[in-house]
Amino acid sequence: MELLHTVDEVRQRVRQWRREEQTVALVPTMGNLHPGHLSLVEEARRQADKVVVSIFVNPTQFGPGEDFDSYPRTLNDDAAHLREAGVELLFAPAVEEIYPLGGNQTWVDVDQLGEHLCGAGRPGHFRGVATVVSKLFNIVQPDVAVFGEKDFQQLAILRRMTREMLMPIRIIAAPTDREADGLARSSRNGYLRDSERARAPLLQQHLQDARRAIEAGEQDFRALEKRLSTSLNQHGFEVDYFTVANAVTLAPAGARDRDLVIAAAARLGKPRLIDNITVQRSAGTG
Ligand code: PAF
């Protein structure tokens, strides 16, 4: 596996692959890799001849007071895992390589989709994500890019961006990788203390409870959200949102919506955990 740090080197390598008629998959990450990331890499492996993974802790997607400075940077370990997974190229640029003029003035902002769920409490976050991912797309120019379904809103935004900006890149969604007790794997789970780690699967369990209630005919989504948020708070979570949303627009769902995503974000000690579950309501419901 080659480890490259500059845009020019990556472009040169990809140009060579193109001459050899090889297809390219990109897996953008912020590093501190866990098995969930490696499942994205496996999916990328199935999709293209060459796999590029980027590791870049992107400053523009962190808000004031968020964990940009303390975000774990574990490049050596990450590189060892990726080498083992058979990745061809690891791109680990410095901030100046991705933001060459310092203060960035050019942004990619996906309006409405960015306003709901995590967007409401993290202003500017998705603008930072969409901007850095477009930069990575411009550098690598992959045929496909793989993102996890755990970040449902991020995936929806990047799909929309790719289509609206006419980027010739297929976005592939990989299912959320979970611990044996159901907790969605995340780099930030490492912040959980033992007692919090034991309670963390309750987030997924509450999403499942909501899904079951909807499948059993519950139509008052706002009451359901309130009930389950209250229960999570009683278990020591600080719920940011627990929302039954339209899976396409991400706006709060109404009784007539069929394709739903139940998404939640809650702080448990230091980390803010997110998770989601999709539900298709049959035409007979509601
Ligand atoms: O999901 C992430 O790790 C990040 O948001 C991404 C897509 C790598 C952009 O920085």
Side-chain angles (χ1 to χ4, degrees):
M1 183 184 75
E2 208 171 4
L3 169 58
L4 299 179
H5 298 284
T6 69
V7 172
D8 286 349
E9 289 168 321
V10 173
R11 288 205 162 121
Q12 216 174 319
R13 177 61 65 242
V14 174
R15 260 201 303 272
Q16 183 205 328
W17 289 340
R18 292 288 179 210
R19 279 196 298 272
E20 296 164 1
E21 298 190 1
Q22 302 289 293
T23 55
V24 180
L26 172 66
V27 183
T29 81
M30 298 207 300
N32 192 25
L33 303 181
H34 53 69
H37 291 110
L38 298 177
S39 70
L40 304 183
V41 170
E42 275 166 33
E43 184 56 44
R45 181 81 288 156
R46 285 192 280 276
Q47 296 288 337
D49 302 316
K50 303 286 181 188
V51 176
V52 180
V53 174
S54 61
I55 293 186
F56 180 64
V57 184
N58 171 37
T60 65
Q61 69 187 78
F62 288 79
E66 292 188 358
D67 55 347
F68 174 70
D69 290 329
S70 61
Y71 198 85
R73 287 154 171 91
T74 53
L75 187 60
N76 290 341
D77 284 355
D78 293 346
H81 291 308
L82 295 174
R83 196 168 292 120
E84 211 169 298
V87 166
E88 276 79 16
L89 167 53
L90 168 55
F91 176 42
V95 172
E96 303 72 48
E97 201 62 27
I98 300 297
Y99 294 98
L101 305 185
N104 207 60
Q105 296 190 17
T106 309
W107 299 101
V108 180
D109 208 348
V110 180
D111 281 356
Q112 282 110 314
L113 282 178
E115 286 165 9
H116 305 292
L117 306 177
C118 288
R122 300 185 75 188
H125 169 71
F126 287 116
R127 185 182 80 158
V129 170
T131 301
V132 81
V133 172
S134 0
K135 286 171 184 259
L136 293 166
F137 283 180
N138 284 335
I139 298 163
V140 179
Q141 302 194 358
D143 300 281
V144 301
V146 184
F147 298 91
E149 277 174 350
K150 176 177 149 287
D151 297 302
F152 191 90
Q153 186 171 16
Q154 169 171 285
L155 180 63
I157 286 172
L158 295 175
R159 280 205 159 115
R160 181 115 196 169
M161 171 189 89
T162 310
R163 290 188 64 191
E164 291 190 332
M165 298 304 284
L166 309 173
M167 295 168 166
I169 299 170
R170 252 181 332 117
I171 303 293
I172 307 284
T176 304
D177 196 51
R178 297 184 181 279
E179 306 277 358
D181 61 8
L183 176 65
R185 288 194 211 268
S186 159
S187 296
R188 290 185 171 104
N189 290 352
Y191 294 140
L192 291 166
R193 288 190 297 232
D194 287 351
S195 64
E196 293 156 356
R197 175 64 191 81
R199 268 176 293 144
L202 284 169
L203 184 61
Q204 166 67 5
Q205 287 163 21
H206 279 64
L207 292 169
Q208 297 284 3
D209 289 348
R211 177 181 59 76
R212 276 191 291 269
I214 292 170
E215 285 173 352
E218 172 75 79
Q219 298 203 30
D220 187 346
F221 298 148
R222 302 297 87 80
L224 181 66
E225 292 163 355
K226 203 162 169 216
R227 197 162 74 236
L228 289 159
S229 302
T230 305
S231 167
L232 277 170
N233 286 333
Q234 283 164 349
H235 284 95
F237 288 76
E238 263 174 74
V239 174
D240 179 359
Y241 63 82
F242 191 109
T243 306
V244 182
N246 177 302
V248 177
T249 64
L250 305 185
R256 296 160 74 96
D257 287 310
R258 300 274 164 247
D259 286 340
L260 307 178
V261 58
I262 314 168
R267 200 166 293 281
L268 184 59
K270 182 170 178 211
R272 180 177 173 279
L273 308 179
I274 64 170
D275 203 349
N276 67 80
I277 192 170
T278 51
V279 189
Q280 265 87 41
R281 294 165 79 230
S282 60
T285 336

